[in-house]
Amino acid sequence: MPVVTEKANLNTKTANLVQKAKENKKVVYHTKDLNLWYGEGHALKNINLAINENEVTAIIGPSGCGKSTYIKTLNRMVELVPSVKISGEILYRERNILDKSFKVEDLRTSVGMVFQKPNPFPKSIYENVAYGPKIHGIRDKKTLDEIVEKSLRGAAIWDEVKDRLNQNAYGLSGGQQQRLCIARCLAIEPDVILMDEPTSALDPISTLKVEELVQELKEEFSIIIVTHNMQQAARISDKTAFFLNGEVIEFAETDKIFSTPSDKRTEDYITGRFG
Ligand SMILES: Nc1ncnc2c1ncn2[C@@H]1O[C@H](COP(=O)(O)OP(=O)(O)O)[C@@H](O)[C@H]1O
Ligand SMILES: [Mg+2]
């Protein structure tokens, strides 16, 4: 066989292997025929999505299309709204979290959530991060110190706060507060981090820091991020789901969504024709 052909074959072979490795990623969340109503309002319609581990999955779509509702069903926060009715299945690591027998506490130890507005507790920086581990029974000061440092480092904020760990978290800037909230998530050693427009209240530099952080964190965690910023989705995510009026219109590799979307409505949205 000529060398060139052999090399081409080898390249194809490598490409196939990489593709296979990608396909072999484990599914962390599998949503099947999920419907959700707020009273009469049908907010989520037949959502079917399989979300892979160690990827960043972006949820995009215009305001009111169900992005926050969807992400809040993934950690069963949405059921705090009394009028909510849900049908379908959400498998988290193959267990249906909507099942009556499923304990919501099991999710609290594996799924962290970061909100649009940073929401630190009115406590010291240290206590904000140590809070979760303490609830889970860790009392040893040295162990807590280690967790606090590791989590703050993981959230790329350690150097900025290491000399004032006992000061109130409210004294931090918005961007620092949001990274502190991410550190608080990391402290429980989560499996998944859900983020609902985590940078929409931040300045451009803090936004960039959080975006860089998200990309680092996916090596260890699975991240689902709602964003109305399409450039952000394009920059940081592996897969993108486009929501419209409570439906998933398209779900694919982010590159594909932003270069050759299959649905006219996706194209209209990403080219700024509405939303
Ligand atoms: N607590 C609630 N009670 C009643 N309707 C709600 C509630 N929260 C959201 N909705 C409705 O559900 C739809 C989806 O909202 P939401 O998930 O917040 O959208 P998004 O995050 O994409 O902006 C909207 O029509 C909104 O008005
Ligand atoms: Mg929202």
Side-chain angles (χ1 to χ4, degrees):
M1 200 189 294
V3 175
V4 178
T5 324
E6 211 171 302
K7 205 168 172 198
N9 280 344
L10 203 67
N11 282 344
T12 324
K13 225 172 168 178
T14 320
N16 286 344
L17 281 177
V18 169
Q19 186 58 31
K20 244 208 159 123
K22 277 188 182 161
E23 283 162 11
N24 281 341
K25 268 192 187 153
K26 284 199 183 118
V27 171
V28 56
Y29 265 113
H30 198 167
T31 306
K32 296 183 178 175
D33 296 324
L34 178 72
N35 282 275
L36 183 143
W37 295 263
Y38 292 107
E40 297 292 301
H42 199 175
L44 295 177
K45 299 167 189 165
N46 286 316
I47 309 284
N48 287 288
L49 282 178
I51 291 171
N52 282 349
E53 67 179 7
N54 298 109
E55 286 187 0
V56 178
T57 303
I59 314 260
I60 62 166
S63 186
C65 68
K67 304 180 298 296
S68 294
T69 300
Y70 178 64
I71 208 166
K72 281 191 282 184
T73 57
L74 296 181
N75 68 355
R76 286 194 37 192
M77 262 180 65
V78 79
E79 66 200 33
L80 301 174
V81 179
S83 67
V84 159
K85 276 191 204 70
I86 306 180
S87 72
E89 285 182 11
I90 299 178
L91 304 182
Y92 165 67
R93 298 285 182 193
E94 293 171 5
R95 291 167 68 206
N96 185 7
I97 66 167
L98 300 177
D99 214 88
K100 289 230 158 33
S101 64
F102 188 91
K103 290 199 200 70
V104 92
E105 300 78 59
D106 289 355
L107 277 184
R108 297 290 169 261
T109 55
S110 357
V111 181
M113 178 107 183
V114 177
F115 298 87
Q116 182 165 356
K117 222 173 140 265
N119 60 344
F121 306 129
K123 292 171 181 284
S124 71
I125 294 166
Y126 184 97
E127 286 303 325
N128 262 276
V129 184
Y131 183 84
K134 277 186 177 171
I135 285 192
H136 296 132
I138 299 174
R139 288 277 171 268
D140 179 57
K141 173 86 169 82
K142 195 162 162 277
T143 310
L144 287 171
D145 287 353
E146 279 167 12
I147 294 172
V148 168
E149 177 168 344
K150 183 165 178 251
S151 308
L152 289 168
R153 280 188 190 281
I157 189 181
W158 171 252
D159 288 335
E160 289 159 67
V161 299
K162 62 175 190 277
D163 300 322
R164 48 168 164 159
L165 293 177
N166 294 320
Q167 287 177 21
N168 197 293
Y170 283 9
L172 297 172
S173 73
Q176 289 173 326
Q177 287 188 11
Q178 195 62 306
R179 279 177 287 137
L180 177 64
C181 292
I182 294 172
R184 192 172 61 186
C185 269
L186 300 184
I188 62 160
E189 301 197 319
D191 178 26
V192 184
I193 304 176
L194 307 175
M195 299 180 155
D196 193 353
E197 305 204 20
T199 64
S200 63
L202 306 185
D203 62 81
I205 290 171
S206 306
T207 296
L208 202 69
K209 280 194 182 150
V210 172
E211 286 186 2
E212 281 170 4
L213 182 55
V214 166
Q215 295 200 282
E216 281 166 27
L217 293 176
K218 80 167 184 185
E219 302 298 328
E220 240 181 297
F221 312 99
S222 312
I223 296 173
I224 305 171
I225 180 168
V226 169
T227 176
H228 66 241
N229 178 335
M230 283 182 277
Q231 286 75 26
Q232 178 167 79
R235 277 195 296 268
I236 68 173
S237 69
D238 300 287
K239 301 257 173 66
T240 296
F242 170 54
F243 277 55
L244 186 64
N245 295 328
E247 282 179 81
V248 176
I249 302 299
E250 195 165 344
F251 177 53
E253 300 280 336
T254 297
D255 290 345
K256 174 158 192 315
I257 293 273
F258 287 96
S259 58
T260 50
S262 306
D263 195 288
K264 178 81 171 61
R265 291 165 293 181
T266 314
E267 189 183 332
D268 286 348
Y269 183 68
I270 61 161
T271 54
R273 250 164 262 168
F274 68 93

